[in-house]
Amino acid sequence: MTVREYVKQNLNIPNILTLIRLVLVPVYIVLFAMGEKYSALTVFMLASFTDLLDGRIARKYNLITDFGKLMDPLADKVMVLTAMISMAIGNKVISAVIPWAAVVVLFVKEAVMVIGSIVMLKYQIVVYSTMIGKVAQCFFIASLVMVYFHDWFVMVCAGWFMPLDLIFLWTSVILTLCALLIYVRRGVRAVKKTGEF
């Protein structure tokens, strides 16, 4: 297959939205580094919206491609991890808010998912996302948006053991770990059924 044929085969709206999301990552990084906190947040929210949109369009109009299967989750992981790491590091203008423990948990989870996907591919097995996985992702996006308003939550939640944005974040971490355990269990069961494990 030539490059032109590959591009023609994979050039559709969902995949274009996925590529836009990847392009938005360096835009986010530059804005965050410049201290443009809410501009960076806007870019993150736009990227999250493209993630929601491209999946729906792909399923509704049967525009699912191998390129999309690979790049869509990759673009999503890169954007979310970038936002998390930036808010864990902070800069001279933007305070660090996210605990590194939460970043490490998400990074390990994504690494296990990637390794698991490679193993599943070897056995030609597809482990579909679960409802808890989708809920965890929604919680993560919501909590990441909320941490940009951390100072406000600290003020509003005065006297609480933890501001609401961080409560959402740690809830996301717990849900993510639950989703990961279910994914691993399903994956192991599927491989065992092949008789090669």
Side-chain angles (χ1 to χ4, degrees), residues 83-94:
M84 281 197 76
I85 291 170
S86 68
M87 290 301 287
I89 296 173
N91 58 35
K92 292 180 180 179
V93 181
I94 306 170

Side-chain angles (χ1 to χ4, degrees), residues 161-177:
F161 73 99
M162 186 183 294
L164 188 60
D165 58 322
L166 294 185
I167 291 174
F168 259 72
L169 180 69
W170 284 113
T171 301
S172 303
V173 170
I174 292 168
L175 288 172
T176 295
L177 288 175

Side-chain angles (χ1 to χ4, degrees), residues 32-84:
F32 191 91
M34 292 171 59
E36 297 291 337
K37 182 177 181 180
Y38 298 112
S39 295
L41 171 60
T42 301
V43 169
F44 174 72
M45 292 175 69
L46 178 61
S48 299
F49 180 70
T50 65
D51 182 36
L52 174 68
L53 199 59
D54 65 11
R56 290 195 173 187
I57 293 173
R59 288 188 293 272
K60 184 174 181 179
Y61 297 100
N62 195 27
L63 295 173
I64 299 171
T65 63
D66 289 337
F67 177 86
K69 289 178 184 177
L70 174 67
M71 296 305 294
D72 179 57
L74 176 63
D76 182 42
K77 289 172 174 54
V78 170
M79 188 72 239
V80 169
L81 280 170
T82 299
M84 281 197 76

Side-chain angles (χ1 to χ4, degrees), residues 17-151:
L17 289 170
T18 296
L19 291 174
I20 288 172
R21 190 156 69 259
L22 278 173
V23 170
L24 288 175
V25 173
V27 175
Y28 172 91
I29 293 172
V30 170
L31 289 171
F32 191 91
M34 292 171 59
E36 297 291 337
K37 182 177 181 180
Y38 298 112
S39 295
L41 171 60
T42 301
V43 169
F44 174 72
M45 292 175 69
L46 178 61
S48 299
F49 180 70
T50 65
D51 182 36
L52 174 68
L53 199 59
D54 65 11
R56 290 195 173 187
I57 293 173
R59 288 188 293 272
K60 184 174 181 179
Y61 297 100
N62 195 27
L63 295 173
I64 299 171
T65 63
D66 289 337
F67 177 86
K69 289 178 184 177
L70 174 67
M71 296 305 294
D72 179 57
L74 176 63
D76 182 42
K77 289 172 174 54
V78 170
M79 188 72 239
V80 169
L81 280 170
T82 299
M84 281 197 76
I85 291 170
S86 68
M87 290 301 287
I89 296 173
N91 58 35
K92 292 180 180 179
V93 181
I94 306 170
S95 300
V97 176
I98 294 179
W100 277 103
V103 178
V104 170
V105 168
L106 184 64
F107 185 83
V108 170
K109 176 255 183 183
E110 297 299 358
V112 171
M113 293 290 283
V114 169
I115 293 169
S117 297
I118 293 171
V119 173
M120 296 298 105
L121 187 63
K122 177 184 176 183
Y123 293 100
Q124 296 183 331
I125 296 170
V126 177
V127 179
Y128 294 100
S129 60
T130 60
M131 180 56 68
I132 192 171
K134 293 176 180 178
V135 171
Q137 181 66 10
C138 290
F139 258 81
F140 247 117
I141 298 301
S143 64
L144 284 174
V145 171
M146 290 169 72
V147 296
Y148 286 86
F149 304 95
H150 179 71
D151 293 340

